[in-house]
Amino acid sequence: MKKITPLLFILISLNCFSQIKGTVTDDKGNPLALVNIFEENTYNGTTTNDKGNFTLITKSENPTIIFQYLGYKTIKKSITKNQFTENLAITLVEENISLHEVVINPKDNPANEIIRNAIKNKKENSAKTARYTADFYSRGIFRVKNLPKTILGQKLDFFDEIIDSTRSGILYLSETVSKVTFQKPDKMKEEILASKVSGKDNGFSFNDASSANFDFYENYLEFDINVVSPLADNAFNYYKYQFEGSFFTENRQQINKIKIIPRRETEPVMSGYIYIVDDTYAIYAVDVSFTGKQIQNPALNTMALKQNFSYNGSSKIWAKNTQTLDFDAGMFGVNISGRFTYVFSNFTFPEKFEKKTFTAEVIRFEENANKKDATFWNTIRPVPLTSEETTDYLKKDALQEKKKSKVYLDSIDAKKNKLGITDILNGYSYSNSYKKWSINYNGPLLNTSFNTVQGYNTSVGLSYFKRNEDKNTYYQFGSSLAYGFSEEKLRPTFYFSGKLSNKSKSYLSVFGGNSVNQFNREEPISKLVNSVSTLFFKNNFMKLFEKNYITANFSREMFNGLNMSLGLEYSERKPLFNTTDYTIIKSDDLYTSNNPLLPFDYTTSAIDRHNLVKLNVGARIKFGQQYITRPDGKYNLGNDKYPTVSLNYEKGLGGSESQYDFDKISARVTYDKTLGNKGKIALNTKAGKFFNAEGISFVDYNHFNGNQTHIVFGSSYINQFNFLPYYLASTNDSYFETHLEYNDKGFIMNKIPLLNKLQSKLVLGFKNLAVPERSPYQEFSVGLSNLGFGKFKILRIDYVSTYQNGYQGDGVMFGLNF
């Protein structure tokens, strides 16, 4: 007998339910959006859409329904069974909020006393909902308005078929229905029963309950930067409060309206109102907002968060049943607004869960969760679609059918596959979208660089790519030809790579050919930076050797959190020498040789020609790793509670001479930890030890990511030194290196007058390197990131001081953070 899924149980049980439909307006006939609607003494609820329409699913024959909306009087309406087929018209009138209904010591700000009591009682109030199960529904919608036709000279025509003549419309619309099991502070299990994305019959929405878990009883709310809750333990350091008055619920519970006022607008705080129940000091509702500047997200303009809580007279618990998150953002002339609507219903509050309730799997999509038809959604959806949303589904579903057809895809490919004159230099792609494959040509323009071994060098490549969208796998293969004009040599390479499984994270790759490589396999200096440094400043930092090779690598996740890899390479290594002294900016300075150990010896090579087989076995352990299971694979999530540990064994064998054989073990620990609203700390520590390696090739030494260019890009800060010469400390013995960085995320900078206007982040760094027979090398740095103008804050500047047997020097680093 086949298993009956939870979804089937739901479909069966729906026969016992009825729908109550209607519209909520104010006394002038204007529709009210986001009205909190729930069945009395239950946690069965819903909310209205933008047009004031609602649908409430109930199994009661004569339910009493409560309509609750901030600023309006709550009403209670008994519904008879014969009214289930009617379209109810509900009218709410404005609430008269009185300033005289709360009697508190007049010598104190009454709002302060209420907030102090709310903070004092928040542990007790939070504990009431510390464990729960609930039904969850979410809807996400993104809209664009006046979309420009071009950005930085490039056509923006991706959305032309889904926006109107004013270049406005819905870009994204999705819905999720799930069962949620939760235990504070962060244990969650979510079964997604249905997922729908407009225009994608195989799409999975990213609206999940964990992304809706904003708890004002906690000290912080998680966004780009943690935002301080108005009920945080230290809330009075960040907020002032103003008592706006009080009103009574239908149960004669007194609700106090408190205005939240930030003490400093530059900090990650919010403005708005919080409504506190008198006596119990539980949260009744929240209506707050903050700006992108306050969380240092320049693309975001504003974000607004609203929550409504319902009261169950039987359990005496206030529980969050509706929540909305509205935002508007813009950059490069593209203005996007959106809303996420969340409905929690049918709460239960067990005293405890069984031990194996929570596992590393935090979200699971039921099989065919993204295949539910309109009939199913019309039955289970708690918030009705607006006519705009209904039209979007119909329009995009029809458009999808059209776009999936071979005729349409072939017509699109015919336009895209046209070969232009500039494609010979830039590159070209020929696609067969219906069969999901493409042939790609990489032109020489973006693959041209300069170094003193090859002079100007460039490459062209041809590759084939094939993907499987249902399984989220792919494979590709190709080859390239590189040519160095000064060395007058052609170098061919080939490759194959593929993702074999998105569930086990299995990857296979094979590479081979003849290539020029940096001695440090991590390539600490990019071709672009080296080209500029060489041609304009005569600093040829890149040091190279030649390799004829064939390499195979395989990796897969053995079980959750443990990834294993195996690599095998056979290579012939050859020395290379400078072949040019060309430069754009004329200088009497000499280029250094291609020997990193003897920079002014132009005849002695860094290595001798030799052969070697290398075996590499690696393991990466992500402690506490959580994941999402979807029909198309497994998706791992980060967990900043625990570090990631990598272990590696490398063996050189079968060398042309025995001196090239060696053994090496190494380990790496990385850890990123958010410190509440006080910033973030990042750690990257590496250690290793060689055995039987006295005569190995310089290629196989452990090299360290130095930097002599004063330029840093992206995340390299935590994986490289600022001023360490590239090969000065390379070793075939033991080593230990540490990179530590603290980013205040504005916590300190936002409190400094004038400097807080920069909206920048203070970054403190420490780096240490220890190898035998050398004094430890250390760097200390202080910098500012998130610098720039307007929305373009991608610059970072650091002052760095270096030490080795005392002070060695200092300087300034310039970087880009994306």
Side-chain angles (χ1 to χ4, degrees), residues 332-343:
F332 297 111
V334 178
N335 297 302
I336 295 176
S337 62
R339 167 177 290 171
F340 287 94
T341 302
Y342 308 100
V343 176

Side-chain angles (χ1 to χ4, degrees), residues 115 118 216 229-231 241 256-260 272-276 283-288:
I115 294 297
F216 282 78
S229 167
L231 298 184
Y241 302 92
N256 301 308
K257 181 180 180 181
I258 308 296
K259 185 175 183 179
I260 304 166
Y273 298 91
I274 186 167
Y275 296 77
I276 302 296
I283 298 174
Y284 170 85
V286 175
D287 184 359
V288 296

Side-chain angles (χ1 to χ4, degrees), residues 584-645:
I584 291 178
I585 304 299
K586 301 304 178 183
S587 170
D588 293 332
D589 294 337
L590 296 176
Y591 281 127
T592 58
S593 73
N594 190 49
N595 187 335
L597 301 177
L598 300 170
F600 298 104
D601 185 336
Y602 298 91
T603 58
T604 303
S605 62
I607 62 171
D608 295 325
R609 179 175 176 172
H610 65 280
N611 302 334
L612 188 69
V613 175
K614 289 181 72 171
L615 172 68
N616 196 301
V617 180
R620 186 186 67 230
I621 308 168
K622 290 189 173 182
F623 295 101
Q625 176 178 277
Q626 297 177 323
Y627 63 92
I628 298 171
T629 301
R630 294 189 344 193
D632 64 343
K634 176 175 179 280
Y635 295 83
N636 296 328
L637 304 173
N639 190 335
D640 71 355
K641 287 184 177 180
Y642 307 99
T644 297
V645 177

Side-chain angles (χ1 to χ4, degrees), residues 397-415:
D397 287 349
L399 185 61
Q400 179 189 222
E401 289 303 311
K402 170 187 170 184
K403 286 185 173 182
K404 288 168 62 177
S405 70
K406 188 175 186 300
V407 173
Y408 176 84
L409 292 173
D410 287 349
S411 68
I412 295 298
D413 286 342
K415 293 180 181 179

Side-chain angles (χ1 to χ4, degrees), residues 232-469:
D233 294 338
N234 59 345
F236 282 94
N237 294 335
Y238 293 90
Y239 296 104
K240 294 183 289 185
Y241 302 92
Q242 181 176 309
F243 178 61
E244 296 279 301
S246 64
F247 56 92
F248 287 89
T249 69
E250 73 286 352
N251 295 317
R252 300 306 297 165
Q253 294 161 305
Q254 185 170 308
I255 308 300
N256 301 308
K257 181 180 180 181
I258 308 296
K259 185 175 183 179
I260 304 166
I261 306 168
R263 290 187 180 274
R264 294 169 293 275
E265 293 286 350
T266 56
E267 294 193 296
V269 292
M270 52 191 72
S271 305
Y273 298 91
I274 186 167
Y275 296 77
I276 302 296
V277 182
D278 206 43
D279 294 334
T280 65
Y281 298 99
I283 298 174
Y284 170 85
V286 175
D287 184 359
V288 296
S289 65
F290 53 86
T291 66
K293 287 183 178 180
Q294 289 174 306
I295 62 169
Q296 298 192 352
N297 183 335
L300 176 69
N301 295 323
T302 59
M303 184 169 287
L305 175 62
K306 294 182 180 180
Q307 293 182 346
N308 286 287
F309 291 68
S310 61
Y311 182 75
N312 186 315
S314 301
S315 65
K316 311 296 184 184
I317 294 175
W318 288 91
K320 178 178 66 179
N321 64 321
T322 63
Q323 176 177 279
T324 58
L325 192 65
D326 293 87
F327 72 89
D328 69 276
M331 212 164 188
F332 297 111
V334 178
N335 297 302
I336 295 176
S337 62
R339 167 177 290 171
F340 287 94
T341 302
Y342 308 100
V343 176
F344 296 83
S345 58
N346 299 320
F347 280 98
T348 66
F349 301 100
E351 291 186 6
K352 64 178 181 178
F353 290 118
E354 294 182 4
K355 287 184 178 180
K356 295 184 178 181
T357 298
F358 300 101
T359 64
E361 183 186 58
V362 293
I363 299 176
R364 168 177 283 275
F365 283 76
E366 288 289 319
E367 197 72 32
N368 298 320
N370 58 339
K371 305 295 183 183
K372 308 306 174 190
D373 59 19
T375 301
F376 168 84
W377 282 100
N378 291 337
T379 305
I380 204 170
R381 180 185 290 120
V383 183
L385 297 175
T386 63
S387 58
E388 179 193 29
E389 291 164 342
T390 300
T391 300
D392 187 73
Y393 273 131
L394 295 173
K395 176 182 176 181
K396 287 181 182 171
D397 287 349
L399 185 61
Q400 179 189 222
E401 289 303 311
K402 170 187 170 184
K403 286 185 173 182
K404 288 168 62 177
S405 70
K406 188 175 186 300
V407 173
Y408 176 84
L409 292 173
D410 287 349
S411 68
I412 295 298
D413 286 342
K415 293 180 181 179
K416 291 169 54 180
N417 292 341
K418 288 182 178 179
L419 180 65
I421 296 176
T422 59
D423 293 338
I424 298 173
L425 294 176
N426 294 328
Y428 171 75
S429 180
Y430 181 91
S431 300
N432 187 320
S433 300
Y434 186 74
K435 295 185 177 180
K436 306 295 187 296
W437 60 261
S438 64
I439 297 174
N440 305 290
Y441 160 72
N442 295 319
L445 185 62
L446 298 179
N447 292 310
T448 298
S449 61
F450 182 87
N451 62 67
T452 53
V453 169
Q454 299 174 288
Y456 281 105
N457 62 92
T458 191
S459 67
V460 295
L462 192 66
S463 63
Y464 174 86
F465 180 84
K466 172 76 172 178
R467 70 184 184 278
N468 184 321
E469 291 183 346

Side-chain angles (χ1 to χ4, degrees), residues 3-21:
K3 279 189 174 181
I4 300 179
T5 66
L7 182 57
L8 184 56
F9 276 120
I10 288 179
L11 293 175
I12 294 172
S13 64
L14 284 176
N15 294 325
C16 305
F17 284 70
S18 301
Q19 289 185 339
I20 301 171
K21 297 183 178 182

